Amino acid sequence: MRQQKLQELLKEMTLEEKIGQLIQVTGKVLKNEENTVTGPIENLDLSNEMLNKVGSILNVVGSQNVRKLQQQYLSKSRLKIPLLFMADIINGYRTVFPIPIAQGCSWDLQNIHIATRVSIQEANVAGTNVNFSPMVDLVRDARWGRVMESMGGEDPYLGEVYAKTMVQAYQGKDISKMGNAVACVKHFAGYGAVEGGRDYNTVDMSERELRQYYLPAYREAIEQGAEMIMTSFNIINGVPVSVNQWLLKDVLRKELGFKGVIISDYSAIAETVNHGVCKDKKESAYKAIMAGVDIDMMSDVYANYLKELVQEGKVPEEIIDQSVWRVLTLKNKLGLFENPYGNTNKEMEEKILRSKQNLQVARETASDTLVLLKNEKQTLPLNKNNKIALIGPYGDNIAILGSWSMFSDKAKIQTLKEVLEEKIGKENVLYARGSEILRQKEINQILIAEGENPILIEKEEQKEKEAIQEAIKVAKQADVIVLAIGEHYKQSGEACSRANIEISIPQQNLLKELTKCNKKIITVLFNGRPLALKEIAEKTDALVEVWFPGTEGANAIADVLFGEVNPSGKLTMSFPQATGQCPIYYNHYHTGRPHNKNIRFVSRYQDIPTESYYPFGYGLSYCNFEYSNLRISSHKISKTNPITVSVNVKNHSEISGKEVIQLYIQDVVASVVRPVKELKGFKKVYFKPFEEKVVTFEITLDLLKFWNERLEYEIESGEFRAFIGPNSRDTKQISFYLE
Ligand code: NOJ
């Protein structure tokens, strides 16, 4: 539709019709059969009249389902303004890819791009116009369940690079084209820094911290043309984001230049009353619209109070018009006025959802994300002639997709047991469950929170003992033990914070007993966050972090276990020594009293080391890579003289493999404290057997900028250090200077 016609349409709309465009509800509220509920729905008080006018729908999917709803809606609509369908397609629609934190560990932009394309192509033909992804929140605290959704993990540079990759992959060049959709970047801003890692909790940080670490990924997403941004639940500077004028107007709109649609998170506007900054819902509606939140997701405050606020002269109608204009413009860019059914396409659904090609992409993506954390005495790869004892609650379990996999077809997931049996024959895979993931008491807590009945606990201790005995019996008959353990998939994700991030007691007991069998143990870990793994790691010979690997996860794991794929994943979050070390991140500042074990009054823990258990960037390969000859083109850098650092990397093995070579920089002395090192570049490089390569990075002045004492984004002269290595800990360093 031409701009002029769109303007005429806006003029023709009644105030209620306009307000309708600013409301979003889930399908459940509209009694739609095929939908998923992703938040509370109890407190919603919406009249039928308003429901007939809402502008967008949340988490209704399926081409036929979406078409039906659109048709019903339009038949009742005076001006025939189509609905917008939004959904949470976090790591895949029917074909499920590894959870975002896992995908991030691949450091493989091409693969991530391809996987994201598949995911949005599937979702788009099934009716999704807007995807609530990517989540670009920086995360440092593994107790927070939503670290699973962060691709960039604890690093702002990775966050930026991944934000760019994802937005490009979702939106393509034209959001109306089949297979593309709007990227809704979330959760603006600082949501990853909730105190104590407890979801929805307070965030309080300095403006420098916010700008330096939390905003860059947003800036990048906006530069890539992201059309929508979701506000976060938390407060920033004492004010909940959904009513925070400074953050939304001054920073997001003016400074970052965001012109698209701002949507609140689920019921977040109404929740500002609970925060205690609005005396009632009416005030929350007032403050949110005045702060520039265009769409109210799943609360009733815009529906019930905006009209009154306009009539009382408190909210100028012009403000409503601006928000409605942004929503109409987006619908228009998606081509919905010409074709309200968008790219919904039943034939395409049949053709591409979970197609052979898509499953293959899922398999390749998954094997690219696994992180080999330990491999003593070359326990891995496994020999196909081995008899394997497959033990543990994830040995024969399809719940390996992670918590945002609600649109997948779980019935079609292969388990690790099935895949191993296919690979080396049934007779060579001996299986025992060995333990449950969680004790019933813990499961019951989850069930109760979900409104379900708890399950009676009966003879649990005895059952645990029997399961272990059975596992030991099986282990004794095999050459090697593959132990598949981890977190319950409902232990990570939204509202899944944990105060103890160790593996559960029954699984720890199982491992303890298995060590007595004197067999090599390979632990395969399924989880959504970094865990405190010391106990587990010490007791196993090899440890593979597989996260929640998605639809083709089991195949990908087998590919890596047998060496058909050489692992190349590297951690994007530090793994702590113990839960009490959280939050922990490699790019921390120096203290005034650095750790020294021979001195008493220094910054340290008495009971654990100061450094992480597994550092950021860490991950092994079946190859042995050696780094040598770090050199620099010049020790002096200037505007006219960008410099390069190079290193030789040699593969000392007779197999090929990929290595993620990482560049870090440190600003040695500055007007404000600077991190001990910061990632500023990486390359994922393929090496043939025994191949040696020279890997070079360019250092430009841009990489040296930071938010200085006066809160200006600038460079300061002096000494800098460049570090190159296979992870953030084991680096070689060289100095250079800016005059
Ligand atoms: C709340 C979550 O915070 C957000 O990430 C999600 O997109 C919405 N619910 C919608 O499901």
Side-chain angles (χ1 to χ4, degrees), residues 520-539:
K520 280 196 173 171
I521 302 179
I522 295 135
T523 301
V524 178
L525 264 183
F526 295 77
N527 50 302
R529 53 154 64 77
L531 296 171
L533 283 179
K534 190 166 182 285
E535 301 292 318
I536 301 287
E538 283 173 357
K539 291 191 182 67

Side-chain angles (χ1 to χ4, degrees), residues 181-196:
V182 168
C184 173
V185 185
K186 65 191 191 184
H187 310 80
F188 190 79
Y191 183 37
V194 282
E195 274 178 12

Side-chain angles (χ1 to χ4, degrees), residues 38 58-59 88 132 146 186-187 230 233 265-266 494:
T38 55
L58 155 70
N59 283 334
D88 290 289
F132 292 138
R146 302 198 77 170
K186 65 191 191 184
H187 310 80
M230 188 188 292
F233 290 115
D265 202 345
Y266 200 112
E494 189 177 345

